[in-house]
Amino acid sequence: MAGDFHTRQDWITLALAFSVWFAHFMIVWSISIAFPGMAAGRWLALPVTLAAFGGLWWLWRRRQDKTLASVSSLSVLIAAGAIAFSTLSPLIG
Amino acid sequence: MKSETGFDHDLYRLFPTHRPRPEGEVEELERIWENPKGWGLLTVVNNNYIGFFYVATAFLFFLLAGILALGMRVQLAAPLLEVLPQDTYNQFFTMHGTVMMFLFAVPMVEALGVMLLPQMLAARDLPFPRLSAFAFWAYFVGGLSFFASLFVGLAPEGGWFMYPPLTSIAFSPEINADFWLLGIGFIEISAIAGAIEIIVGVLRTRAPGMTLDRMPMFAWAMLVFAVMIIVAFPSVILCTLLLEMERAFNWPFFDPTRGGDPLLWQHLFWFFGHPEVYIIFLPAAGLMSMMVSTVARTPLVGYRLNVLALVATGFISFGVWAHHMFATGMPRVSTGYFSAASMAVSLPAGIQVFCWIATLAAGKIRWSTPALFIVGSIVVFTMGGLTGVMVGMVPFDWQGHDSYFIVAHLHYVLIGGMVFPMFAAFYYWNGMTSKNALSERLGRWIFWLMFTGLHITFLPMHLTGFMGMPRRVYTYLPGRGFDVLNLISTVGAFVLATGVLLFLVDLARRFRFTTDEDAGNVYGGGTLEWLPTGMYSTRSIPLVRTREPLWDDPDICDDVAEGRYFLPNSATGLRETIITSPINAEPQYLQLMPGPSAWPLAAAFFTASFFLSLTVQGYLFAAASGVIAVACTLRWLWETDRPVAQTTADIGAGITVPIAITGPSSHGWWALNTLMVVMGMIAIMAVFGYLYLFGIHPEVWIDPPPVPQTAGIVALLALALVASWGSRRWLAARQAGTFAGQGPWIMSALAAILTAGALYWDITGWQQAGLDPVLTGHGAIVAGLLSLQGCTVAIGLLMAAYLGYRSGRGLVLAPASVTLDIVARFIAYVAVQGMGFAILTRLFPGS
């Protein structure tokens, strides 16, 4: 794994990427219990997911270390994968 | 490397220094760091002793909980046995789970942190030694008192997660449940105190040059562990408080007939409960990463990937709590989210396992006892992890829920993920604290007995679970196919116990505690804890240039012992350590550290007495104990903010740093912020409870008090904020080193009084609106929020009075006082929390 790993921004990106995942998780879950068994509980999750991907895209653009194997890149990718995986639930649930 | 603080990195070239050090420096360090003997040992605060006491106590609880498990296995060896009566069996399984989770697993990893971290980071001690001592004694006294409830038949019997309504006053009218609720709530305070210590210790007391990228994996793991404790444990503290209030005052938080909901308990409990598994696993994984590297004699493969996996696990583990609630009838889409997160969290855990396997494959393994336990741990943990993925799937969970399959799964995860690494660590780090190394021959016997015993015990439980045997039943009928499998499990439990017994024999024969004549680096580790040390840690604090300094610099041990690095002496004649910056570990200032004291012990003892007296409804004695506990705490704190004449110190090679600063760069500022995160999390979880109950039972919500009154309360609290800020500005405006008069503390006291006034107005407003905490869940949760605010207001008033007393003694000096800084900022927090609560409860959902 490459990367300088010494800058504050690496760690901020890491923490923010997983914070985006957590915020997305809590919001879509709250929607699902606010609208149990209703279509709104599923459809409202999609704009939240798009917003979360938007946040991750912003983090991706402002990385200092652009290599794929850096801490910041991998954290954004893992968070994106976890969000996409979660979103399967309203799509097919 | 870019400087983080303005420190000139070229100064690092001065180390190691070459001039000989003056005579007598080591002797002075020994004198300063000397500990009392005999009964005086009760007053020690040094991490060498406190860490050892902590580990020994946690291991004692492991043995006690293990004995309870053997009792249960004997009872289940054959159908319809009556070795343990039903009630006693219920107490046994509740205490086994509770003690293993709360009194063994978390304290053990915290204990290992207290013992190992200062040496790994080459700090003189953790930054708040008296807080460590308090955390240990609170745990020791509280834990033993809690365990003793078993001997008088008053142990809790509702299972380790204590679900209401089983544990509500209607179904558990005796005080057994109160022992759990108050006992665990108290012990968690100890865990949080330790976590604050560890966060500040890891981020601020690393040796110069030990950037985050060069930090030992155990330190990384402990950092993530401690942050998880800060976020997760407030939830369990809150839910134990709510259930205790329901039992004591009949406030129906969890009673669905009056607008409460028992599932609120499950959400709050598991928001803590599932991260708890990772809280236990991650430090053990950190230990594994360090030991794997040594036994394979090669650097860890994928260091940064491992760090990323630790952080990812820490985050994702907070999105899995409701997979314990799949059988409660949650909406289908909700279960899907938790199922997805439960599977996702296995990915970072898998990354770590693959890194360990790759390291073992890349190196040349020396098959010692730690190596056996490491490989055994990987096998067992992977097996448990795979069954975890199975129960993460909703349809499978519906079938396996509350069966012995779950018992098998959780024991594979916890024994593989924590117990085996712990035994590996005992052998690996024993050389730091014992004159003799433990026996390798016995160690191999111990490993194989435990490894085979584990499988004989728990592998059949997968089958008994599949065949439909529920957990937590004290017996079963013959002829259902359970008999043989249960007998095998019982035999296995005794094989496992034989392994542990043999370990005790090994300890008795070989272990001899020491702080200066230790057996040393038996397995050839490359990190700083293997430098030559005394009670003061290392003679001089090395400059760290790589992740395994002892492997990369053969002279470092001699250079450190000769005082050729930082702080080769005591710069102030007091206990002290270097505080460094959080990312690149650049030297920032010198922290003065307190010495031995009986006050943390006394504070812990009377705090435990307070909670115990509450449990047995001895309210007068509880009040007296509470007052004494507060007095002891304030007396302990009195000495920690000492004005010193010396303002700067030479920390080696002519580098000069300030002494004991305040503000955002100080370690005290970090600690208070961490404490406020804890309190904020309690508040956030309480707000969650408010919104949750409204979502479930909106029909019991009444109209809030009028809006102008709310505006008045918020205005009072805003004034409190201004007054607390003004007190700090007042002090800062005075001439440095002079006494600032009584103005600053009066401003702080005014702020505290304003928060109390706002609270009074809030309470009376709700009373006039007709809210009754006994009648509805709405009343209960609003009263709960007001009680929470009341506690923080009371603490704020107490702190303001303490500040006033210090000010009266002329101890609040300009331009900044640590005590005033802490008091003012705490009161500001109280004001902000009060505003949040008032606005939420009075404007949402509105009339």
Side-chain angles (χ1 to χ4, degrees):
Chain A
M1 224 171 136
D4 184 27
F5 212 55
H6 289 302
T7 65
R8 192 179 291 266
Q9 199 188 27
D10 278 337
W11 302 106
I12 290 175
T13 305
L14 173 70
L16 283 181
F18 288 116
S19 298
V20 169
W21 170 83
F22 185 68
H24 171 266
F25 180 86
M26 292 305 289
I27 292 169
V28 292
W29 172 67
S30 302
I31 291 171
S32 76
I33 57 166
F35 303 98
M38 296 181 222
R42 298 164 61 175
W43 289 112
L44 283 174
L46 296 180
V48 177
T49 302
L50 287 177
F53 278 130
L56 290 180
W57 176 246
W58 177 75
L59 287 174
W60 182 261
R61 293 290 302 274
R62 67 189 287 277
R63 289 167 304 149
Q64 274 186 345
D65 185 344
K66 304 287 185 190
T67 55
L68 197 62
S70 67
V71 171
S72 44
S73 302
L74 276 177
S75 57
V76 173
L77 288 175
I78 290 175
I83 289 173
F85 195 35
S86 290
T87 310
L88 288 177
S89 184
L91 288 180
I92 62 175
Chain B
M1 190 193 306
K2 195 177 157 192
S3 175
E4 185 186 358
T5 61
F7 181 82
D8 181 5
H9 285 210
D10 286 341
L11 292 172
Y12 286 151
R13 292 188 189 149
L14 300 172
F15 298 98
T17 56
H18 297 292
R19 286 187 188 169
R21 300 297 311 174
E23 295 288 322
E25 285 184 340
V26 176
E27 290 73 17
E28 190 192 17
L29 279 173
E30 285 171 350
R31 180 185 56 76
I32 291 169
W33 287 88
E34 190 180 8
N35 281 308
K37 303 280 190 294
W39 285 104
L41 273 177
L42 294 172
T43 66
V44 295
V45 296
N46 183 267
N47 81 293
N48 289 290
Y49 279 98
I50 293 296
F52 174 68
F53 294 165
Y54 224 144
V55 171
T57 308
F59 193 68
L60 171 69
F61 283 119
F62 171 73
L63 297 177
L64 293 174
I67 291 168
L68 297 182
L70 290 180
M72 288 188 287
R73 283 317 318 168
V74 170
Q75 166 64 22
L76 293 173
L80 300 178
L81 282 183
E82 287 291 344
V83 178
L84 294 176
Q86 187 176 350
D87 279 353
T88 308
Y89 185 87
N90 291 349
Q91 293 185 16
F92 267 43
F93 75 67
T94 302
M95 289 298 278
H96 169 74
T98 304
V99 171
M100 281 295 191
M101 296 300 275
F102 292 100
L103 295 181
F104 159 63
V106 173
M108 177 58 88
V109 288
E110 205 152 359
L112 288 169
V114 170
M115 192 159 83
L116 297 176
L117 278 177
Q119 271 77 2
M120 277 184 188
L121 307 175
R124 293 256 187 258
D125 202 336
L126 284 169
F128 308 104
R130 290 189 180 179
L131 188 63
S132 293
F134 173 79
F136 165 69
W137 288 115
Y139 156 67
F140 179 79
V141 178
L144 285 181
S145 310
F146 175 68
F147 194 84
S149 65
L150 196 62
F151 300 116
V152 287
L154 288 175
E157 50 195 353
W160 84 274
F161 34 75
M162 296 291 283
Y163 282 166
L166 177 63
T167 51
S168 64
I169 203 83
F171 299 100
S172 298
E174 305 297 334
I175 62 171
N176 305 50
D178 302 306
F179 263 106
W180 194 95
L181 294 169
L182 290 170
I184 293 306
F186 169 57
I187 290 162
E188 296 320 302
I189 292 171
S190 150
I192 287 173
I196 292 173
E197 174 88 306
I198 286 166
I199 289 174
V200 181
V202 170
L203 288 177
R204 305 306 308 276
T205 63
R206 303 198 304 275
M210 186 187 278
T211 63
L212 288 178
D213 197 28
R214 295 174 191 155
M215 206 159 77
M217 280 305 297
F218 180 62
W220 260 117
M222 288 306 287
L223 180 61
V224 178
F225 154 91
V227 171
M228 288 179 73
I229 283 188
I230 295 302
V231 177
F233 277 38
S235 182
V236 77
I237 289 176
L238 178 74
C239 65
T240 53
L241 279 177
L242 295 185
L243 185 52
E244 191 54 36
M245 285 196 282
E246 175 170 305
R247 291 174 57 85
F249 309 130
N250 194 21
W251 293 357
F253 298 103
F254 307 110
D255 178 358
T257 63
R258 289 183 283 166
D261 188 18
L263 288 185
L264 173 61
W265 169 274
Q266 296 198 24
H267 279 296
L268 292 175
F269 183 86
W270 289 117
F271 186 79
F272 141 82
H274 200 85
E276 159 95 339
V277 175
Y278 296 96
I279 283 170
I280 294 165
F281 164 67
L282 291 184
L287 294 172
M288 288 276 287
S289 296
M290 295 189 70
M291 291 184 289
V292 157
S293 167
T294 301
V295 301
R297 286 178 274 181
T298 184
L300 179 71
V301 173
Y303 172 92
R304 290 166 185 165
L305 207 53
N306 238 298
V307 172
L308 183 64
L310 285 174
V311 177
T313 306
F315 271 92
I316 299 177
S317 69
F318 282 99
V320 299
W321 80 87
H323 72 206
H324 295 268
M325 299 166 62
F326 282 159
T328 61
M330 289 192 302
R332 200 169 66 181
V333 175
S334 296
T335 57
Y337 290 132
F338 286 102
S339 183
S342 302
M343 291 179 207
V345 81
S346 63
L347 296 177
I351 287 173
Q352 292 185 75
V353 170
F354 280 116
C355 285
W356 298 333
I357 293 171
T359 308
L360 290 171
K364 192 174 177 188
I365 304 174
R366 187 168 54 187
W367 284 104
S368 55
T369 303
L372 288 173
F373 273 107
I374 285 166
V375 174
S377 164
I378 292 173
V379 171
V380 174
F381 179 70
T382 304
M383 291 174 73
L386 290 174
T387 53
V389 175
M390 291 164 74
V391 293
M393 289 184 279
V394 181
F396 186 93
D397 184 80
W398 284 341
Q399 302 303 315
H401 188 80
D402 262 350
S403 75
Y404 261 84
F405 187 88
I406 302 297
V407 178
H409 156 68
L410 72 92
H411 281 91
Y412 267 89
V413 170
L414 293 175
I415 295 177
M418 191 271 169
V419 176
F420 273 30
M422 176 191 78
F423 274 91
F426 281 166
Y427 277 85
Y428 182 83
W429 276 286
N430 167 69
M432 267 181 67
T433 54
S434 170
K435 285 181 183 171
N436 312 312
L438 294 175
S439 162
E440 273 294 313
R441 192 168 59 89
L442 273 184
R444 287 160 203 264
W445 273 98
I446 292 163
F447 167 74
W448 286 112
L449 281 168
M450 289 182 68
F451 188 75
T452 50
L454 162 82
H455 289 294
I456 297 170
T457 310
F458 295 107
L459 207 57
M461 287 187 190
H462 293 102
L463 295 176
T464 44
F466 276 145
M467 291 161 69
M469 181 164 168
R471 63 196 287 202
R472 296 176 172 170
V473 288
Y474 90 111
T475 192
Y476 50 91
L477 293 171
R480 295 195 169 185
F482 300 154
D483 312 24
V484 175
L485 291 171
N486 270 296
L487 184 62
I488 292 171
S489 287
T490 300
V491 170
F494 279 89
V495 174
L496 182 57
T498 307
V500 178
L501 188 64
L502 209 53
F503 177 70
L504 291 177
V505 171
D506 198 9
L507 279 184
R509 287 178 65 233
R510 306 285 303 167
F511 184 83
R512 298 291 177 270
F513 179 73
T514 181
T515 56
D516 47 12
E517 297 171 14
D518 54 58
N521 193 0
V522 177
Y523 299 100
T527 39
L528 295 182
E529 73 272 24
W530 300 114
L531 287 170
T533 57
M535 288 306 296
Y536 44 82
S537 189
T538 52
R539 155 79 193 281
S540 57
I541 297 176
L543 172 64
V544 177
R545 294 185 169 99
T546 65
R547 288 182 194 140
E548 286 92 11
L550 271 67
W551 288 354
D552 301 324
D553 179 0
D555 298 327
I556 194 169
C557 289
D558 290 339
D559 287 339
V560 163
E562 293 296 323
R564 296 187 185 125
Y565 283 104
F566 289 94
L567 210 59
N569 55 0
S570 173
T572 61
L574 300 166
R575 294 187 180 203
E576 61 201 10
T577 196
I578 299 176
I579 297 292
T580 50
S581 63
I583 295 180
N584 290 340
E586 294 161 4
Q588 284 195 288
Y589 68 96
L590 201 63
Q591 181 206 346
L592 303 181
M593 311 186 90
S597 167
W599 297 112
L601 167 63
F605 179 82
F606 284 103
T607 312
S609 167
F610 169 73
F611 280 96
L612 194 63
S613 309
L614 277 186
T615 309
V616 297
Q617 296 166 2
Y619 297 119
L620 201 61
F621 199 72
S625 297
V627 170
I628 298 173
V630 168
C632 292
T633 308
L634 295 180
R635 180 64 187 80
W636 141 29
L637 293 173
W638 186 263
E639 298 164 12
T640 54
D641 180 19
R642 294 170 286 188
V644 285
Q646 190 179 344
T647 55
T648 59
D650 181 349
I651 56 169
I655 298 172
T656 302
V657 294
I659 298 175
I661 64 172
T662 59
S665 293
S666 71
H667 65 290
W669 189 88
W670 283 60
L672 180 64
N673 281 4
T674 313
L675 179 66
M676 290 200 289
V677 171
V678 173
M679 301 182 65
M681 278 308 300
I682 294 178
I684 287 171
M685 297 316 291
V687 166
F688 168 79
Y690 177 87
L691 297 174
Y692 184 85
L693 287 185
F694 173 71
I696 300 293
H697 289 292
E699 71 278 4
V700 301
W701 247 241
I702 66 167
D703 290 343
V707 173
Q709 190 185 72
T710 307
I713 291 169
V714 171
L716 271 189
L717 292 168
L719 274 177
L721 264 181
V722 172
S724 71
W725 175 79
S727 66
R728 293 166 67 202
R729 296 304 310 154
W730 189 323
L731 189 67
R734 300 283 156 171
Q735 190 184 351
T738 61
F739 175 58
Q742 307 302 334
W745 91 262
I746 289 173
M747 289 283 277
S748 285
L750 176 67
I753 290 166
L754 284 170
T755 60
L759 177 67
Y760 177 76
W761 201 359
D762 207 353
I763 293 170
T764 51
W766 278 109
Q767 282 174 334
Q768 286 157 9
L771 193 75
D772 186 343
V774 175
L775 284 183
T776 64
H778 181 207
I781 195 70
V782 170
L785 288 167
L786 291 172
S787 304
L788 197 57
Q789 177 66 3
C791 289
T792 52
V793 165
I795 295 170
L797 286 167
L798 192 67
M799 289 170 84
Y802 172 73
L803 178 67
Y805 188 62
R806 281 189 75 90
S807 185
R809 299 289 293 269
L811 292 173
V812 179
L813 302 183
S817 148
V818 173
T819 305
L820 182 123
D821 196 47
I822 287 173
V823 171
R825 288 173 56 231
F826 182 84
I827 293 169
Y829 169 83
V830 175
V832 171
Q833 177 178 280
M835 278 188 211
F837 284 174
I839 290 170
L840 174 77
T841 56
R842 287 159 169 265
L843 300 185
F844 179 85
S847 53

